[in-house]
Amino acid sequence: MGKVRGGILAAISVAVTAIFYGRALAFDLQCDDLLMIRPWSRAELLGVWHGTWEPAHGFAVFFRPLASWFYAGLFELFGWNAPAHMLFSLALLALVAWLVALFVARESRSTPAGALAAVIFALHPNTPWSTGTWVTNDFHKLAALVALGALLLWQRLRHRGPAQWLAFVPFVAACFLIKEDGLMLIPALLTLQWLRARMVGDVAPPGAALVLAAAAVGVALAAWRWLALGELGGFPLPPSLYVVLHNLARGPIYALTAHGSLSVLTAVQKILAVATVVLLGAVIWTMPREKRFPPAAALVVLGWYNLPLALVSNVMRYYMLTIAASAIFAAVIDDVWRGRRALARRGWRTALGAAILLAIASRASVQQRELDLFSPCQRLEHECIPWVLESVPSLPPEARQYVAETPAACAIGRRPKIGEANRLTWGLGSTSIDTMTGERSHAVTGDVVSLIRGNGPTAGLLFRHSGASPAQTVHVEFRVDGARQLRELNGPQWLRIDVPLNAGLRSWLRGAHRVDARFSAPGAEWILIREPQK
């Protein structure tokens, strides 16, 4: 027992993230990233507060406005600069690991227990798929950070009066607006308070008024979602009671036995997994009463966050379950290592240490295989290609061609990163490209966003208003890396505009210069954009 050393836990969290996920810095944007990491219009960002989170309907209908704003912010910061996205993703992963370590260390009053929780979380085979290095899944990290922040706050406020629980309302609301299962934070916190009062006795149990107030907050958030979507939304419901029960059992078993989300267990593995869970429960039951609370608290979080998954037909991402399982293992191993008389002799400690190292090594190999799924030219990318080409209407024409040619590029070992294209153009209206001339057609009522790679002082753009009469004028407003300028297109002739490329922090983070163009031409339909011939 002793003072929790947050700095040491932070260093360990960063180290294990770098060791076991560092190679992800060479990964690329793929699959869902190409739909969500893009320029979002003001109308879209307002619309997610009273509608689905993804306006193109490439995904199932969900109410996750903060997740949508998060994706828009990622594009504003990094564009399609894959290394920057991956570094930020790894930083979030290390931050999640650190908060898990802090919670476990404070609850068990043991810095080694917290360090072990960070290591187990990083090595868990579920982590790459649920909270790892897929940029779209960074919203799971965001939800986890808010939930863990609430749990750490609960450790500070649990001894105070009911009025202090108002501090949790922003956390609950933020969790819910990132991902719907964040609503489970309400019953999880109430159950933790009740359990702490029974098992440790140093806090007061939640009163009826607090429970009713918490229920009212939950009902209000659920009603907001229903009014916004006008439907239940989400994935299809399970077709039978058997599937519901199967989902209820699958999450805890996979999390507590450290199997990957995509693993298909054999009959023998299922028996061994159930036996492992039973053995773990028996060990927790035999722990001294005062030591039993930390793993019991993690079981509460696991249980509540597992409930919504029972009603999902396609369950793969156990992000909070993985966090809870890591906390459970860390608390149990720390107690066994430090407190059991049977392990007081050096021989038993050595044997236990060897067993822990063997278990970590075996899970590390599985975790690395799961991480391989997200590397370039692997199964996930190839399986996503038809979906991307069919379901991502906002995909820049340059990127669409790149995605279509990915299998051929992988076959010869020359797959560049998708963000390394010289130019990527999103038309926030309709977009098409003429493969013969290279002309891009954009609806004149929409904005056009381009990412231009180049080290020169300017980049040339050619614009033409294809439907304009000689006397008609099209007003064009440009913003280049934030600097604003106005131009005019007169009639149907081509106009060359040399866009100044200003080196700065924003263009460095994006790995490209951002050019925004807004057109205004009453009654016109199309604007053509073409790169000048070399």
mmCIF file of all heavy atoms in Angstrom, residues 400-442:
data_model
loop_
_atom_site.group_PDB
_atom_site.id
_atom_site.type_symbol
_atom_site.label_atom_id
_atom_site.label_comp_id
_atom_site.label_asym_id
_atom_site.label_seq_id
_atom_site.Cartn_x
_atom_site.Cartn_y
_atom_site.Cartn_z
ATOM 1 N N ARG A 400 -11.388 7.765 -55.005
ATOM 2 C CA ARG A 400 -12.178 6.653 -55.539
ATOM 3 C C ARG A 400 -11.342 5.803 -56.496
ATOM 4 O O ARG A 400 -11.370 4.572 -56.464
ATOM 5 C CB ARG A 400 -13.423 7.199 -56.245
ATOM 6 C CG ARG A 400 -14.401 6.133 -56.709
ATOM 7 C CD ARG A 400 -15.680 6.776 -57.223
ATOM 8 N NE ARG A 400 -16.357 7.516 -56.173
ATOM 9 C CZ ARG A 400 -17.163 6.957 -55.271
ATOM 10 N NH1 ARG A 400 -17.398 5.664 -55.328
ATOM 11 N NH2 ARG A 400 -17.737 7.686 -54.340
ATOM 12 N N GLN A 401 -10.581 6.477 -57.345
ATOM 13 C CA GLN A 401 -9.711 5.756 -58.267
ATOM 14 C C GLN A 401 -8.630 5.001 -57.498
ATOM 15 O O GLN A 401 -8.296 3.853 -57.824
ATOM 16 C CB GLN A 401 -9.077 6.740 -59.247
ATOM 17 C CG GLN A 401 -8.169 6.100 -60.292
ATOM 18 C CD GLN A 401 -7.603 7.127 -61.252
ATOM 19 O OE1 GLN A 401 -7.959 8.304 -61.198
ATOM 20 N NE2 GLN A 401 -6.723 6.689 -62.136
ATOM 21 N N TYR A 402 -8.096 5.638 -56.458
ATOM 22 C CA TYR A 402 -7.062 5.002 -55.633
ATOM 23 C C TYR A 402 -7.599 3.732 -54.973
ATOM 24 O O TYR A 402 -6.940 2.687 -54.987
ATOM 25 C CB TYR A 402 -6.593 5.996 -54.569
ATOM 26 C CG TYR A 402 -5.735 5.388 -53.494
ATOM 27 C CD1 TYR A 402 -4.358 5.362 -53.618
ATOM 28 C CD2 TYR A 402 -6.304 4.824 -52.352
ATOM 29 C CE1 TYR A 402 -3.558 4.797 -52.636
ATOM 30 C CE2 TYR A 402 -5.528 4.255 -51.377
ATOM 31 C CZ TYR A 402 -4.161 4.237 -51.519
ATOM 32 O OH TYR A 402 -3.386 3.668 -50.552
ATOM 33 N N VAL A 403 -8.804 3.810 -54.384
ATOM 34 C CA VAL A 403 -9.388 2.650 -53.702
ATOM 35 C C VAL A 403 -9.618 1.519 -54.697
ATOM 36 O O VAL A 403 -9.336 0.351 -54.410
ATOM 37 C CB VAL A 403 -10.707 3.051 -53.006
ATOM 38 C CG1 VAL A 403 -11.434 1.814 -52.486
ATOM 39 C CG2 VAL A 403 -10.429 4.006 -51.857
ATOM 40 N N ALA A 404 -10.121 1.854 -55.883
ATOM 41 C CA ALA A 404 -10.380 0.824 -56.885
ATOM 42 C C ALA A 404 -9.098 0.116 -57.308
ATOM 43 O O ALA A 404 -9.119 -1.080 -57.651
ATOM 44 C CB ALA A 404 -11.068 1.440 -58.095
ATOM 45 N N GLU A 405 -7.976 0.833 -57.297
ATOM 46 C CA GLU A 405 -6.709 0.252 -57.735
ATOM 47 C C GLU A 405 -5.892 -0.356 -56.598
ATOM 48 O O GLU A 405 -4.785 -0.856 -56.834
ATOM 49 C CB GLU A 405 -5.876 1.341 -58.433
ATOM 50 C CG GLU A 405 -6.508 1.856 -59.722
ATOM 51 C CD GLU A 405 -5.742 3.025 -60.318
ATOM 52 O OE1 GLU A 405 -4.811 3.520 -59.648
ATOM 53 O OE2 GLU A 405 -6.080 3.447 -61.439
ATOM 54 N N THR A 406 -6.419 -0.343 -55.372
ATOM 55 C CA THR A 406 -5.670 -0.851 -54.223
ATOM 56 C C THR A 406 -5.251 -2.308 -54.380
ATOM 57 O O THR A 406 -4.088 -2.654 -54.092
ATOM 58 C CB THR A 406 -6.484 -0.666 -52.932
ATOM 59 O OG1 THR A 406 -6.614 0.734 -52.657
ATOM 60 C CG2 THR A 406 -5.784 -1.328 -51.743
ATOM 61 N N PRO A 407 -6.128 -3.239 -54.795
ATOM 62 C CA PRO A 407 -5.675 -4.635 -54.923
ATOM 63 C C PRO A 407 -4.484 -4.790 -55.857
ATOM 64 O O PRO A 407 -3.543 -5.535 -55.556
ATOM 65 C CB PRO A 407 -6.922 -5.356 -55.469
ATOM 66 C CG PRO A 407 -8.071 -4.519 -55.008
ATOM 67 C CD PRO A 407 -7.577 -3.116 -55.072
ATOM 68 N N ALA A 408 -4.509 -4.071 -56.978
ATOM 69 C CA ALA A 408 -3.398 -4.165 -57.916
ATOM 70 C C ALA A 408 -2.121 -3.577 -57.313
ATOM 71 O O ALA A 408 -1.023 -4.131 -57.485
ATOM 72 C CB ALA A 408 -3.743 -3.446 -59.218
ATOM 73 N N ALA A 409 -2.257 -2.451 -56.580
ATOM 74 C CA ALA A 409 -1.089 -1.831 -55.952
ATOM 75 C C ALA A 409 -0.505 -2.735 -54.874
ATOM 76 O O ALA A 409 0.720 -2.851 -54.730
ATOM 77 C CB ALA A 409 -1.472 -0.474 -55.366
ATOM 78 N N CYS A 410 -1.370 -3.406 -54.115
ATOM 79 C CA CYS A 410 -0.892 -4.323 -53.076
ATOM 80 C C CYS A 410 -0.195 -5.530 -53.702
ATOM 81 O O CYS A 410 0.785 -6.052 -53.155
ATOM 82 C CB CYS A 410 -2.058 -4.782 -52.202
ATOM 83 S SG CYS A 410 -2.719 -3.500 -51.117
ATOM 84 N N ALA A 411 -0.698 -5.970 -54.843
ATOM 85 C CA ALA A 411 -0.135 -7.158 -55.491
ATOM 86 C C ALA A 411 1.310 -6.939 -55.906
ATOM 87 O O ALA A 411 2.114 -7.887 -55.899
ATOM 88 C CB ALA A 411 -0.989 -7.549 -56.699
ATOM 89 N N ILE A 412 1.654 -5.700 -56.258
ATOM 90 C CA ILE A 412 3.037 -5.432 -56.666
ATOM 91 C C ILE A 412 3.838 -4.748 -55.560
ATOM 92 O O ILE A 412 4.976 -4.338 -55.775
ATOM 93 C CB ILE A 412 3.058 -4.555 -57.939
ATOM 94 C CG1 ILE A 412 2.387 -3.196 -57.681
ATOM 95 C CG2 ILE A 412 2.387 -5.278 -59.096
ATOM 96 C CD1 ILE A 412 2.502 -2.244 -58.865
ATOM 97 N N GLY A 413 3.230 -4.626 -54.370
ATOM 98 C CA GLY A 413 3.938 -4.061 -53.232
ATOM 99 C C GLY A 413 4.213 -2.588 -53.321
ATOM 100 O O GLY A 413 5.188 -2.087 -52.751
ATOM 101 N N ARG A 414 3.358 -1.844 -54.028
ATOM 102 C CA ARG A 414 3.565 -0.400 -54.181
ATOM 103 C C ARG A 414 2.298 0.354 -53.812
ATOM 104 O O ARG A 414 1.738 1.086 -54.620
ATOM 105 C CB ARG A 414 3.969 -0.073 -55.619
ATOM 106 C CG ARG A 414 5.313 -0.640 -56.019
ATOM 107 C CD ARG A 414 5.651 -0.260 -57.451
ATOM 108 N NE ARG A 414 6.937 -0.796 -57.862
ATOM 109 C CZ ARG A 414 7.461 -0.657 -59.080
ATOM 110 N NH1 ARG A 414 6.770 0.024 -60.001
ATOM 111 N NH2 ARG A 414 8.618 -1.178 -59.379
ATOM 112 N N ARG A 415 1.825 0.172 -52.609
ATOM 113 C CA ARG A 415 0.608 0.839 -52.166
ATOM 114 C C ARG A 415 0.965 2.130 -51.439
ATOM 115 O O ARG A 415 1.437 2.104 -50.305
ATOM 116 C CB ARG A 415 -0.201 -0.071 -51.238
ATOM 117 C CG ARG A 415 -1.477 0.588 -50.700
ATOM 118 C CD ARG A 415 -1.960 -0.148 -49.464
ATOM 119 N NE ARG A 415 -3.140 0.450 -48.893
ATOM 120 C CZ ARG A 415 -3.130 1.528 -48.107
ATOM 121 N NH1 ARG A 415 -1.998 2.143 -47.831
ATOM 122 N NH2 ARG A 415 -4.269 1.995 -47.603
ATOM 123 N N PRO A 416 0.755 3.294 -52.056
ATOM 124 C CA PRO A 416 0.997 4.555 -51.338
ATOM 125 C C PRO A 416 -0.148 4.846 -50.373
ATOM 126 O O PRO A 416 -1.206 4.210 -50.432
ATOM 127 C CB PRO A 416 1.036 5.587 -52.462
ATOM 128 C CG PRO A 416 0.117 5.010 -53.500
ATOM 129 C CD PRO A 416 0.269 3.516 -53.415
ATOM 130 N N LYS A 417 0.047 5.808 -49.478
ATOM 131 C CA LYS A 417 -1.030 6.224 -48.585
ATOM 132 C C LYS A 417 -2.034 7.070 -49.365
ATOM 133 O O LYS A 417 -1.674 7.847 -50.253
ATOM 134 C CB LYS A 417 -0.480 7.011 -47.394
ATOM 135 C CG LYS A 417 0.250 6.139 -46.377
ATOM 136 C CD LYS A 417 0.660 6.964 -45.189
ATOM 137 C CE LYS A 417 1.150 6.075 -44.038
ATOM 138 N NZ LYS A 417 2.345 5.298 -44.417
ATOM 139 N N ILE A 418 -3.295 6.928 -48.995
ATOM 140 C CA ILE A 418 -4.347 7.596 -49.747
ATOM 141 C C ILE A 418 -4.238 9.118 -49.640
ATOM 142 O O ILE A 418 -4.604 9.847 -50.560
ATOM 143 C CB ILE A 418 -5.730 7.102 -49.273
ATOM 144 C CG1 ILE A 418 -6.810 7.515 -50.269
ATOM 145 C CG2 ILE A 418 -6.057 7.618 -47.871
ATOM 146 C CD1 ILE A 418 -8.128 6.819 -50.036
ATOM 147 N N GLY A 419 -3.713 9.613 -48.543
ATOM 148 C CA GLY A 419 -3.583 11.056 -48.373
ATOM 149 C C GLY A 419 -2.387 11.656 -49.089
ATOM 150 O O GLY A 419 -2.173 12.863 -49.026
ATOM 151 N N GLU A 420 -1.587 10.818 -49.790
ATOM 152 C CA GLU A 420 -0.406 11.315 -50.482
ATOM 153 C C GLU A 420 -0.711 11.772 -51.905
ATOM 154 O O GLU A 420 0.197 12.163 -52.638
ATOM 155 C CB GLU A 420 0.683 10.238 -50.491
ATOM 156 C CG GLU A 420 1.247 9.951 -49.107
ATOM 157 C CD GLU A 420 2.251 8.812 -49.109
ATOM 158 O OE1 GLU A 420 2.391 8.151 -50.173
ATOM 159 O OE2 GLU A 420 2.877 8.573 -48.061
ATOM 160 N N ALA A 421 -1.983 11.708 -52.306
ATOM 161 C CA ALA A 421 -2.366 12.222 -53.621
ATOM 162 C C ALA A 421 -2.041 13.711 -53.698
ATOM 163 O O ALA A 421 -2.145 14.435 -52.704
ATOM 164 C CB ALA A 421 -3.856 12.000 -53.862
ATOM 165 N N ASN A 422 -1.637 14.175 -54.884
ATOM 166 C CA ASN A 422 -1.288 15.584 -55.038
ATOM 167 C C ASN A 422 -2.468 16.496 -54.747
ATOM 168 O O ASN A 422 -2.304 17.623 -54.296
ATOM 169 C CB ASN A 422 -0.775 15.845 -56.451
ATOM 170 C CG ASN A 422 0.600 15.247 -56.664
ATOM 171 O OD1 ASN A 422 1.376 15.112 -55.724
ATOM 172 N ND2 ASN A 422 0.899 14.881 -57.903
ATOM 173 N N ARG A 423 -3.678 15.983 -55.032
ATOM 174 C CA ARG A 423 -4.864 16.810 -54.820
ATOM 175 C C ARG A 423 -6.041 15.914 -54.467
ATOM 176 O O ARG A 423 -6.249 14.880 -55.081
ATOM 177 C CB ARG A 423 -5.172 17.617 -56.076
ATOM 178 C CG ARG A 423 -6.218 18.678 -55.875
ATOM 179 C CD ARG A 423 -6.142 19.683 -56.981
ATOM 180 N NE ARG A 423 -4.774 20.190 -57.141
ATOM 181 C CZ ARG A 423 -4.457 21.248 -57.873
ATOM 182 N NH1 ARG A 423 -5.394 21.901 -58.512
ATOM 183 N NH2 ARG A 423 -3.208 21.650 -57.979
ATOM 184 N N LEU A 424 -6.787 16.303 -53.467
ATOM 185 C CA LEU A 424 -8.025 15.621 -53.085
ATOM 186 C C LEU A 424 -9.121 16.678 -53.016
ATOM 187 O O LEU A 424 -8.947 17.697 -52.340
ATOM 188 C CB LEU A 424 -7.880 14.918 -51.730
ATOM 189 C CG LEU A 424 -6.906 13.741 -51.679
ATOM 190 C CD1 LEU A 424 -6.554 13.408 -50.238
ATOM 191 C CD2 LEU A 424 -7.505 12.523 -52.365
ATOM 192 N N THR A 425 -10.222 16.443 -53.693
ATOM 193 C CA THR A 425 -11.268 17.457 -53.782
ATOM 194 C C THR A 425 -12.610 16.888 -53.352
ATOM 195 O O THR A 425 -13.069 15.892 -53.905
ATOM 196 C CB THR A 425 -11.393 17.999 -55.217
ATOM 197 O OG1 THR A 425 -10.127 18.481 -55.647
ATOM 198 C CG2 THR A 425 -12.400 19.136 -55.270
ATOM 199 N N TRP A 426 -13.196 17.509 -52.355
ATOM 200 C CA TRP A 426 -14.537 17.167 -51.906
ATOM 201 C C TRP A 426 -15.484 18.274 -52.366
ATOM 202 O O TRP A 426 -15.219 19.461 -52.144
ATOM 203 C CB TRP A 426 -14.623 17.093 -50.379
ATOM 204 C CG TRP A 426 -13.952 15.925 -49.761
ATOM 205 C CD1 TRP A 426 -14.527 14.755 -49.357
ATOM 206 C CD2 TRP A 426 -12.566 15.825 -49.416
ATOM 207 N NE1 TRP A 426 -13.585 13.927 -48.795
ATOM 208 C CE2 TRP A 426 -12.362 14.563 -48.817
ATOM 209 C CE3 TRP A 426 -11.472 16.676 -49.563
ATOM 210 C CZ2 TRP A 426 -11.124 14.131 -48.370
ATOM 211 C CZ3 TRP A 426 -10.233 16.247 -49.124
ATOM 212 C CH2 TRP A 426 -10.073 14.991 -48.537
ATOM 213 N N GLY A 427 -16.582 17.895 -53.007
ATOM 214 C CA GLY A 427 -17.624 18.864 -53.306
ATOM 215 C C GLY A 427 -18.769 18.609 -52.357
ATOM 216 O O GLY A 427 -19.337 17.518 -52.326
ATOM 217 N N LEU A 428 -19.070 19.557 -51.541
ATOM 218 C CA LEU A 428 -20.118 19.335 -50.543
ATOM 219 C C LEU A 428 -21.495 19.332 -51.179
ATOM 220 O O LEU A 428 -22.499 19.213 -50.492
ATOM 221 C CB LEU A 428 -20.017 20.384 -49.441
ATOM 222 C CG LEU A 428 -18.676 20.380 -48.699
ATOM 223 C CD1 LEU A 428 -18.723 21.328 -47.513
ATOM 224 C CD2 LEU A 428 -18.310 18.989 -48.239
ATOM 225 N N GLY A 429 -21.525 19.468 -52.515
ATOM 226 C CA GLY A 429 -22.724 19.157 -53.285
ATOM 227 C C GLY A 429 -22.422 17.913 -54.099
ATOM 228 O O GLY A 429 -21.689 17.038 -53.661
ATOM 229 N N SER A 430 -22.947 17.833 -55.334
ATOM 230 C CA SER A 430 -22.686 16.679 -56.179
ATOM 231 C C SER A 430 -21.279 16.756 -56.753
ATOM 232 O O SER A 430 -20.741 17.828 -56.985
ATOM 233 C CB SER A 430 -23.700 16.622 -57.327
ATOM 234 O OG SER A 430 -25.009 16.565 -56.816
ATOM 235 N N THR A 431 -20.672 15.602 -56.990
ATOM 236 C CA THR A 431 -19.316 15.560 -57.490
ATOM 237 C C THR A 431 -19.181 14.458 -58.530
ATOM 238 O O THR A 431 -19.708 13.375 -58.356
ATOM 239 C CB THR A 431 -18.307 15.277 -56.356
ATOM 240 O OG1 THR A 431 -18.498 16.235 -55.328
ATOM 241 C CG2 THR A 431 -16.872 15.347 -56.854
ATOM 242 N N SER A 432 -18.473 14.743 -59.636
ATOM 243 C CA SER A 432 -18.133 13.707 -60.605
ATOM 244 C C SER A 432 -16.826 14.098 -61.258
ATOM 245 O O SER A 432 -16.350 15.222 -61.110
ATOM 246 C CB SER A 432 -19.239 13.559 -61.661
ATOM 247 O OG SER A 432 -19.377 14.759 -62.386
ATOM 248 N N ILE A 433 -16.212 13.152 -61.987
ATOM 249 C CA ILE A 433 -14.942 13.427 -62.646
ATOM 250 C C ILE A 433 -14.959 12.804 -64.032
ATOM 251 O O ILE A 433 -15.503 11.711 -64.229
ATOM 252 C CB ILE A 433 -13.745 12.894 -61.814
ATOM 253 C CG1 ILE A 433 -12.411 13.350 -62.433
ATOM 254 C CG2 ILE A 433 -13.780 11.388 -61.699
ATOM 255 C CD1 ILE A 433 -11.203 13.057 -61.542
ATOM 256 N N ASP A 434 -14.410 13.515 -65.009
ATOM 257 C CA ASP A 434 -14.240 13.005 -66.361
ATOM 258 C C ASP A 434 -12.840 12.399 -66.437
ATOM 259 O O ASP A 434 -11.837 13.118 -66.358
ATOM 260 C CB ASP A 434 -14.397 14.135 -67.373
ATOM 261 C CG ASP A 434 -14.373 13.633 -68.817
ATOM 262 O OD1 ASP A 434 -13.596 12.713 -69.104
ATOM 263 O OD2 ASP A 434 -15.137 14.175 -69.632
ATOM 264 N N THR A 435 -12.772 11.078 -66.583
ATOM 265 C CA THR A 435 -11.476 10.405 -66.542
ATOM 266 C C THR A 435 -10.611 10.740 -67.753
ATOM 267 O O THR A 435 -9.402 10.538 -67.730
ATOM 268 C CB THR A 435 -11.671 8.886 -66.456
ATOM 269 O OG1 THR A 435 -12.472 8.458 -67.563
ATOM 270 C CG2 THR A 435 -12.371 8.501 -65.158
ATOM 271 N N MET A 436 -11.222 11.246 -68.836
ATOM 272 C CA MET A 436 -10.447 11.587 -70.029
ATOM 273 C C MET A 436 -9.782 12.958 -69.889
ATOM 274 O O MET A 436 -8.613 13.136 -70.224
ATOM 275 C CB MET A 436 -11.362 11.576 -71.252
ATOM 276 C CG MET A 436 -11.957 10.195 -71.553
ATOM 277 S SD MET A 436 -10.695 8.965 -71.971
ATOM 278 C CE MET A 436 -10.119 9.626 -73.543
ATOM 279 N N THR A 437 -10.528 13.936 -69.407
ATOM 280 C CA THR A 437 -10.006 15.310 -69.315
ATOM 281 C C THR A 437 -9.522 15.676 -67.925
ATOM 282 O O THR A 437 -8.814 16.663 -67.751
ATOM 283 C CB THR A 437 -11.080 16.318 -69.734
ATOM 284 O OG1 THR A 437 -12.165 16.264 -68.789
ATOM 285 C CG2 THR A 437 -11.614 16.001 -71.118
ATOM 286 N N GLY A 438 -9.927 14.901 -66.919
ATOM 287 C CA GLY A 438 -9.579 15.242 -65.543
ATOM 288 C C GLY A 438 -10.439 16.328 -64.955
ATOM 289 O O GLY A 438 -10.180 16.809 -63.848
ATOM 290 N N GLU A 439 -11.506 16.738 -65.677
ATOM 291 C CA GLU A 439 -12.380 17.787 -65.163
ATOM 292 C C GLU A 439 -13.281 17.237 -64.059
ATOM 293 O O GLU A 439 -13.803 16.141 -64.158
ATOM 294 C CB GLU A 439 -13.246 18.351 -66.293
ATOM 295 C CG GLU A 439 -12.451 19.110 -67.336
ATOM 296 C CD GLU A 439 -13.339 19.619 -68.456
ATOM 297 O OE1 GLU A 439 -14.552 19.338 -68.417
ATOM 298 O OE2 GLU A 439 -12.822 20.304 -69.362
ATOM 299 N N ARG A 440 -13.441 18.018 -62.999
ATOM 300 C CA ARG A 440 -14.327 17.653 -61.898
ATOM 301 C C ARG A 440 -15.533 18.574 -61.950
ATOM 302 O O ARG A 440 -15.372 19.791 -62.047
ATOM 303 C CB ARG A 440 -13.622 17.799 -60.558
ATOM 304 C CG ARG A 440 -12.336 17.016 -60.439
ATOM 305 C CD ARG A 440 -11.575 17.476 -59.201
ATOM 306 N NE ARG A 440 -10.301 16.815 -59.088
ATOM 307 C CZ ARG A 440 -9.197 17.211 -59.736
ATOM 308 N NH1 ARG A 440 -9.224 18.260 -60.521
ATOM 309 N NH2 ARG A 440 -8.071 16.559 -59.584
ATOM 310 N N SER A 441 -16.712 18.002 -61.875
ATOM 311 C CA SER A 441 -17.938 18.808 -61.914
ATOM 312 C C SER A 441 -18.514 18.903 -60.512
ATOM 313 O O SER A 441 -18.669 17.889 -59.830
ATOM 314 C CB SER A 441 -18.966 18.163 -62.848
ATOM 315 O OG SER A 441 -18.446 18.056 -64.147
ATOM 316 N N HIS A 442 -18.830 20.103 -60.093
ATOM 317 C CA HIS A 442 -19.367 20.319 -58.754
ATOM 318 C C HIS A 442 -20.646 21.135 -58.841
ATOM 319 O O HIS A 442 -20.745 22.066 -59.640
ATOM 320 C CB HIS A 442 -18.363 21.066 -57.865
ATOM 321 C CG HIS A 442 -17.116 20.296 -57.606
ATOM 322 N ND1 HIS A 442 -17.014 19.361 -56.617
ATOM 323 C CD2 HIS A 442 -15.931 20.301 -58.244
ATOM 324 C CE1 HIS A 442 -15.796 18.830 -56.640
ATOM 325 N NE2 HIS A 442 -15.125 19.388 -57.617
#
